[in-house]
Amino acid sequence: MVREDNCKVQRGSQHARSNVDRHEASLHSHSLSLEMLLHRLMTTDTKQDDTFVKILLMIGKFGTFQWRLVALTFIPNIMLAFFMFADTFMFTPQKSYCNTSWILALGPNLSEAEQLNLTVPRNSKGSFMTCHMYLPVSQDLDFIIQFGLNYTDTCQNGWIYPDTKKRSLINEFNLVCGMEPKMETVQATSLTGLLIGALFSGFISDKVGRQPVILLSLLGLIIFGFGTAFVNSFYQYLVFRFCASLAMASYTISSISLTTEWLRGEHRAHSTILGHCFFAVGIMLLTGLAYGLPHWRLLFLVGGMPTFLFISYIWILPESPQWLVVKGKVKEAQEVLCYAASVNKKTIPFNLLNEVRGSRPGVTKASVLDFCNNRQLFKVTLVMGGIWFAVSYNYFMLSLKMKELGMSIHFSHVIPGILKLPARLCCIFLLARMGRKWSLAVTLFPVTVISFLLLIFPEELNSMMILMVALGEFSLAITVTVLFIYTPELLPTVLRATGLGLVCLASMTGAILALTIIRYTPHFLPIFLSCVSAILAITFTSLLWETKDQPLSNSLEHFPLLRFNVTMTEDTLSGDVFEEAARNAILNTQIPRLDSSSDLSEEAARNTTLNTPTHTVSSTALKHFEDKEADSQAP
């Protein structure tokens, strides 16, 4: 009996193994068909990108049209730098005294020093008090000189600024004696404008196009940037600065998206580096004008006058053809491409131009929710957001540290501005040698080291601290340029501007956090957090992939979606519908169910299931695909 049972068990196990072999053979054939189907679908997905690359090559790698596009989009960076850092020169300290001109009615020939000596009380150190005055009396001047004045009160007729040679917001709106504006509040207002602009402008740019958002942003710079020279109160100034920051964030995101989608390879990187060089020039221009002009209104008038030239962009700035194709506006895309070719004196073959076609409905529809539903897109946005947060926090921490070290307001802007020019140019060699990913990691490493040294070095070594902060700003300038090149290349065209807006949102959050922590926490904590955030940013960089010399992704098809609920029938599998249904079938994968025999043991079934591929496609789709392949190979 035992032998018979053993034989039954052996025969049963042999039967189970034969069942497993049959299933493995069937799954192997399905796997081969699946590989063929995947190859077919990958070819279909990239065909449109290949066509676009060919057309851009036919137009010319970097001809007259590309040069003009770069100039049009990056010359405004000078104005962006001007308006972004103008607040620094608007609130220079002013020595104020109460306006006591009432005594001039008694003694019109009194000098300024005599007037102050008679009408302004002194503090315990012998200096004139800035917020108090002696009350007027009815006696004559000789009586006041002989006996003096006794009763004091706060300033009643405003203030005077005898030692001030320049007109700033302080003496324009009398922001003294308890009404002094906090620079943290002014900076937070501008950063909030940048934050909100980044949040909404990217979404709008992906919906209505790059060109309209750029034009609206430039209009905002004209109204709220140049218009700041005409405000009548400090609160109006804050409102105008907030709106100008909205325009600056919108322009930055949309212009980067536009140039990224027009240019290819190293030209894309070089154009971004050139744009950041324009930004550094804008900082130095602002510093020179602020040093030479005697009035803050003149600074905005003279510096903001070139913004009116941007009105011409209505007629000469092109739209992104990739965005037009993704949105199904094929005719407009073809017209823009033909215009670019005519500017470069090139010709696009008619048959190649006809291959440009809009994407099918339902494929390019995208929303902000895709940043949560698409696992790969969510990962990219989260990782890049963390890196942008760390870089922005470190940048503002070092900038505020430079001010704490006693640097003059002009010197602290000129030196970083000069250093940023060679820093941007270093990006050319880094990106050519190392690519995007390693360049980002290499430039973040010195920031980590410098933050650690600032944490352990004593503050008495003032010169050494200034040198380290300057080197840290130099390294961060390179990092920011690499980020502006790397981030758009990681995002698909259909959501590129929205993704840039989200990472810029993280950047502004890091800047606001830096302002808050530096003001309300002990001295060592901001630097310690700077070191930790830089280490985390380097770690996050390892999670990304290299994008150098890679084509841009147009749609979310290049990112694996979490789930698609699509039903497929044999009647729908024809032509483009077959490709769409097969694609959805592949993405809607599930664990295969094996029709195991009753003799197959539970253990063998479990092992068979675990050892088989998890990605399958319906038999109807595979059969139809194999039939199409056989028909295509038949003579």
Side-chain angles (χ1 to χ4, degrees), residues 51-64:
T51 301
F52 213 88
V53 170
K54 291 178 183 177
I55 292 177
L56 291 180
L57 288 174
M58 294 295 298
I59 292 174
K61 290 185 178 181
F62 206 77
T64 305

Side-chain angles (χ1 to χ4, degrees), residues 212-341:
V213 176
I214 290 176
L215 296 178
L216 287 175
S217 302
L218 294 176
L219 179 62
L221 284 180
I222 296 173
I223 296 174
F224 299 106
F226 179 80
T228 306
F230 304 98
V231 297
N232 295 320
S233 69
F234 175 64
Y235 296 104
Q236 286 185 11
Y237 176 84
L238 291 180
V239 171
F240 271 65
R241 297 299 295 150
F242 175 83
C243 295
S245 298
L246 282 175
M248 286 186 280
S250 301
Y251 177 82
T252 300
I253 291 172
S254 300
S255 62
I256 289 175
S257 300
L258 180 65
T259 53
T260 299
E261 291 159 9
W262 263 111
L263 304 177
R264 295 184 63 253
E266 71 278 4
H267 300 298
R268 187 186 303 145
H270 294 169
S271 66
T272 303
I273 294 169
L274 180 63
H276 285 195
C277 290
F278 276 101
F279 195 86
V281 171
I283 295 176
M284 292 187 286
L285 174 65
L286 169 66
T287 307
L289 289 176
Y291 183 81
L293 295 176
H295 202 295
W296 70 273
R297 293 187 188 272
L298 280 176
L299 181 62
F300 279 103
L301 286 173
V302 175
M305 190 68 70
T307 56
F308 287 96
L309 298 176
F310 301 149
I311 297 176
S312 62
Y313 281 37
I314 298 174
W315 300 280
I316 58 179
L317 187 69
E319 180 58 272
S320 165
Q322 278 191 276
W323 180 86
L324 291 171
V325 170
V326 166
K327 292 300 180 180
K329 301 180 179 181
V330 181
K331 185 177 179 181
E332 291 89 338
Q334 292 174 339
E335 291 175 354
V336 171
L337 291 170
C338 289
Y339 171 72

Side-chain angles (χ1 to χ4, degrees), residues 95 192 237 269 484 512 545:
K95 192 68 173 179
T192 304
Y237 176 84
F484 272 104
I512 294 174
W545 63 88

Side-chain angles (χ1 to χ4, degrees), residues 357-526:
R357 55 187 175 86
S359 300
R360 292 176 295 276
V363 176
T364 58
K365 288 183 179 179
S367 67
V368 179
L369 296 178
D370 289 309
F371 286 95
C372 298
N373 297 333
N374 189 296
R375 187 175 301 166
Q376 191 71 4
L377 189 59
F378 175 79
K379 170 189 169 183
V380 170
T381 309
L382 184 64
V383 170
M384 291 306 294
I387 297 174
W388 278 74
F389 177 90
V391 170
S392 181
Y393 175 85
N394 279 271
Y395 183 85
F396 272 81
M397 192 278 297
L398 291 178
S399 298
L400 295 173
K401 186 69 178 176
M402 182 71 81
K403 294 180 181 178
E404 292 178 0
L405 294 174
M407 300 284 291
S408 68
I409 186 173
H410 294 89
F411 189 76
S412 62
H413 279 76
V414 169
I415 297 302
I418 295 174
L419 289 177
K420 284 176 182 177
L421 285 175
R424 311 301 190 192
L425 298 177
C426 285
C427 289
I428 299 175
F429 303 100
L430 277 177
L431 295 171
R433 295 282 184 179
M434 301 182 180
R436 277 58 163 157
K437 180 177 178 178
W438 282 105
S439 295
L440 184 59
V442 166
T443 55
L444 281 169
F445 180 74
V447 180
T448 308
V449 176
I450 290 171
S451 299
F452 178 74
L453 293 177
L454 289 174
L455 193 62
I456 63 175
F457 271 40
E459 293 187 5
E460 289 76 15
L461 300 175
N462 194 52
S463 300
M464 184 64 68
M465 298 280 279
I466 292 174
L467 177 61
M468 287 190 296
V469 171
L471 290 176
E473 290 186 342
F474 179 87
S475 181
L476 280 175
I478 305 175
T479 306
V480 170
T481 301
V482 174
L483 277 177
F484 272 104
I485 297 170
Y486 196 15
T487 306
E489 294 178 347
L490 290 170
L491 298 168
T493 301
V494 69
L495 286 173
R496 179 166 292 120
T498 305
L500 280 172
L502 291 176
V503 297
C504 288
L505 177 66
S507 175
M508 294 303 104
T509 304
I512 294 174
L513 182 65
L515 294 175
T516 305
I517 290 179
I518 290 175
R519 179 172 177 81
Y520 296 107
T521 59
H523 174 72
F524 70 89
L525 184 59

Side-chain angles (χ1 to χ4, degrees), residues 103 120 149 218 231 265 365 385 443 566 615:
I103 200 172
V120 177
L149 299 173
L218 294 176
V231 297
K365 288 183 179 179
T443 55
V566 179
H615 295 283

